[in-house]
Amino acid sequence: MSGVQSIERAFSILRVLARGPLGVTEIADRAELPKSTVSRLLNALEAEGAVEQVEAGGGYSVGSALATLGASSNPSAGLRSVVRPFIEELAMLTGGSAGFTIREGDTAYWVDDVDDGDELVKLADQTGQSFAMHTIPSGFAMLARFSTDALEEYLASERVSADGEPLDVDELRRRVGRVGFDGVVVSREEFDAGVNAVAAPFRGPDGEWVGALYLQGPSFRFPEDGDERRVVKLVSEAAMQLSERLVAS
Amino acid sequence: MSGVQSIERAFSILRVLARGPLGVTEIADRAELPKSTVSRLLNALEAEGAVEQVEAGGGYSVGSALATLGASSNPSAGLRSVVRPFIEELAMLTGGSAGFTIREGDTAYWVDDVDDGDELVKLADQTGQSFAMHTIPSGFAMLARFSTDALEEYLASERVSADGEPLDVDELRRRVGRVGFDGVVVSREEFDAGVNAVAAPFRGPDGEWVGALYLQGPSFRFPEDGDERRVVKLVSEAAMQLSERLVAS
DNA sequence: CGGGATGTTCCGTCATGCGGAACCGTACCG
DNA sequence: CGGTACGGTTCCGCATGACGGAACATCCCG
């Protein structure tokens, strides 16, 4: 026994319950444990608030204590912790929400987002999700760095994707062609209703374009009047510094 | 031993770590356990993803598995589960976010909120927080139901609250006085920048005004053009039906 | 280099957790 | 109404899993 049996079993039970409330017998079946063992462990977990009895004799579900403890979990190390200080500073300097996505094949994966502003109107948190690259500003910024061949390959594969609205490949080519030498993408509600955004790509250790930083916010308050040039400069410089940091590692 | 010692100790350790990353010796001190016991339990928790080692020899923190499990925790029963179908229907019928607050002394406590729309621009989730009643639409709707004496007492106590901006008691009295017989409060960005809201109070089992339902959203899209009267009617009727439901119980 | 602090591993010991059986409560059916 | 089936709880003898002190390894500092 290398671990602690009770803890292994307790987490087994919690994972079974993560899919939805269940009774003791069903939990025992799925966790492959005797009912008396399950009953005892559920009582212990209930005492800690980790499970709750839905109603007397009616089943158990995951308890609020795990939500509380889970709220304090640490973000994992790696790229996210390297990039985090950059996006925290961008958010602080501009009042927008700042974050980054990374390229995963033909999609952009939303890794992190910071929005410390105390305004009520905010953007929904989209971290942990993937999007076709041409559908979000930071993905588009990476797309604009594709070679001509890679871009055509992407357009061909996206053309066949069932995406509801058919893809206007020529229009997408034109928009990619209009992105400037610095690679910065400025969106004035072009990607999402009511949202302005600025995005810039950054390089990974091997020099390839791996991700893009962005700043965004509701268009009635972001960027502030006359502030767009400053915001563009901040994102562009942050992406450049981040690239230098990652290439050097 | 009524519970399971290992589980009690494991959660002890997790609660110590919820305040921030710590080393084995420090955890042993705070949890009042031998270091070897802590080390073994940490290894078991790490195997489940419930803790993560920050760096080799450098300390431990709460792991992402708890966030995952915590995300599946069940909302508690009680008032919230009674009200939930009402606010789900309000959100579904209008595209706004719907929820309710309850009176707690001089504050309004934000109990629940539903926002199933797929728009990007949303309102921040404020459940679990308390606000002075006059500062949010649903709190204001409850305030408008105060007796004259109770209102004056509230105004007197709020006048002395250190709130930054001094309270304009006369203006607040006038606004309370303008609330119609049906008790519905309509806000066009009066409480929060960029937010429209409609709120109506509801009664508890003893007939007292215990809470208020609301609908709200970013003002560029909520309510939809020409839809305000329908929204007001929906909220008002829902609050009335809810009152009848609670008084009958 | 020696001392101090931290974290890990070992292993003899025994208290704890295990699980089968019995029991209880509820619902259903003939 | 009585019998059956099912789900959940409690009991208790027992085997083993968890315990914790000691020893060890590593790192840092004066």
Side-chain angles (χ1 to χ4, degrees):
Chain A
M1 179 62 58
S2 58
V4 176
Q5 189 180 56
S6 308
I7 290 177
E8 290 170 3
R9 288 174 160 190
F11 276 87
S12 234
I13 290 172
L14 288 171
R15 291 196 170 96
V16 165
L17 287 177
R19 309 185 210 132
L22 290 172
V24 172
T25 305
E26 187 62 32
I27 296 169
D29 282 347
R30 297 190 192 193
E32 295 182 332
L33 290 167
K35 282 197 301 180
S36 51
T37 302
V38 171
S39 185
R40 186 179 50 257
L41 292 172
L42 281 172
N43 282 337
L45 288 167
E46 187 174 20
E48 303 299 334
V51 303
E52 287 164 8
Q53 203 163 12
V54 174
E55 65 199 30
Y60 290 81
S61 62
V62 176
S64 56
L66 289 187
T68 302
L69 288 168
S72 57
S73 68
N74 224 28
S76 45
L79 189 59
R80 205 160 98 155
S81 50
V82 173
V83 180
R84 174 57 72 126
F86 289 86
I87 63 180
E88 277 177 336
E89 180 164 313
L90 285 175
M92 190 258 297
L93 290 172
T94 63
S97 69
F100 76 104
T101 60
I102 55 170
R103 178 184 175 185
E104 287 190 337
D106 281 346
T107 66
Y109 177 74
W110 213 296
V111 181
D112 203 4
D113 185 273
V114 168
D115 189 351
D116 293 334
D118 50 16
E119 292 87 359
L120 183 58
V121 181
K122 289 175 179 286
L123 305 187
D125 182 10
Q126 289 176 292
T127 55
Q129 300 175 64
S130 290
F131 298 83
M133 302 192 88
H134 68 279
T135 62
I136 57 174
S138 56
F140 193 81
M142 286 187 268
L143 197 57
R145 287 307 195 188
F146 276 29
S147 67
T148 303
D149 285 347
L151 176 63
E152 290 306 316
E153 190 170 28
Y154 176 87
L155 295 176
S157 86
E158 284 303 302
R159 181 190 273 129
V160 303
S161 293
D163 212 9
E165 187 175 31
L167 184 69
D168 189 338
V169 171
D170 289 328
E171 171 62 16
L172 202 48
R173 250 194 225 101
R174 275 193 288 277
R175 286 170 59 201
V176 166
R178 287 200 292 267
V179 174
F181 184 77
D182 59 0
V184 174
V185 168
V186 176
S187 165
R188 299 176 191 81
E189 297 188 313
E190 292 164 53
F191 289 82
D192 294 288
V195 180
N196 289 340
V198 177
F202 60 86
R203 294 183 192 269
D206 297 332
E208 76 286 12
W209 300 102
V210 291
L213 292 175
Y214 67 84
L215 264 168
Q216 62 181 12
S219 47
F220 71 86
R221 62 170 173 83
F222 178 85
E224 288 174 16
D225 285 339
D227 203 35
E228 187 178 285
R229 179 175 289 183
R230 186 183 74 100
V231 167
V232 165
K233 191 178 176 198
L234 283 170
V235 176
S236 177
E237 286 178 355
M240 216 170 298
Q241 287 162 16
L242 180 56
S243 295
E244 287 168 11
R245 171 73 179 278
L246 293 172
V247 167
S249 66
Chain B
M1 177 62 60
S2 59
V4 177
Q5 190 179 54
S6 306
I7 290 179
E8 288 171 5
R9 288 176 160 188
F11 275 87
S12 234
I13 289 172
L14 288 172
R15 291 195 170 96
V16 165
L17 286 178
R19 307 183 211 134
L22 290 172
V24 174
T25 303
E26 187 63 30
I27 296 169
D29 281 346
R30 297 190 192 193
E32 297 181 329
L33 291 168
K35 282 197 299 178
S36 51
T37 302
V38 171
S39 184
R40 184 180 53 255
L41 292 171
L42 282 173
N43 281 336
L45 289 167
E46 186 174 23
E48 304 299 332
V51 303
E52 289 166 6
Q53 201 164 12
V54 174
E55 64 200 31
Y60 290 83
S61 62
V62 176
S64 58
L66 289 186
T68 302
L69 288 167
S72 57
S73 66
N74 222 28
S76 45
L79 188 60
R80 204 161 96 156
S81 51
V82 174
V83 180
R84 171 62 68 127
F86 290 86
I87 63 180
E88 276 178 338
E89 180 165 310
L90 286 174
M92 191 258 299
L93 290 173
T94 63
S97 68
F100 75 104
T101 60
I102 56 172
R103 179 182 174 184
E104 286 190 339
D106 281 348
T107 66
Y109 175 75
W110 213 296
V111 181
D112 202 5
D113 185 273
V114 168
D115 188 350
D116 292 334
D118 50 17
E119 291 87 0
L120 183 60
V121 181
K122 289 175 179 289
L123 305 186
D125 182 10
Q126 291 176 289
T127 55
Q129 300 174 65
S130 292
F131 298 84
M133 303 192 84
H134 68 279
T135 62
I136 59 174
S138 56
F140 192 80
M142 287 185 270
L143 195 57
R145 287 308 196 189
F146 277 29
S147 66
T148 304
D149 286 346
L151 177 63
E152 290 307 315
E153 189 171 32
Y154 176 87
L155 293 177
S157 88
E158 283 302 304
R159 183 190 272 133
V160 304
S161 294
D163 211 10
E165 187 175 29
L167 185 69
D168 189 339
V169 172
D170 288 329
E171 170 63 14
L172 201 47
R173 251 193 224 99
R174 274 192 290 277
R175 285 169 59 202
V176 166
R178 286 200 293 267
V179 174
F181 184 78
D182 59 359
V184 172
V185 168
V186 177
S187 164
R188 299 173 190 85
E189 297 191 312
E190 289 165 54
F191 289 85
D192 295 287
V195 181
N196 289 341
V198 177
F202 59 86
R203 295 182 191 271
D206 298 333
E208 77 287 12
W209 300 101
V210 290
L213 293 175
Y214 68 83
L215 265 169
Q216 61 179 13
S219 48
F220 72 85
R221 62 171 173 84
F222 179 84
E224 288 176 13
D225 285 342
D227 204 36
E228 187 179 286
R229 178 175 289 181
R230 186 184 72 101
V231 168
V232 164
K233 192 179 175 199
L234 284 170
V235 177
S236 176
E237 288 179 355
M240 217 170 296
Q241 287 162 14
L242 179 56
S243 295
E244 289 168 11
R245 170 72 179 279
L246 293 172
V247 166
S249 64

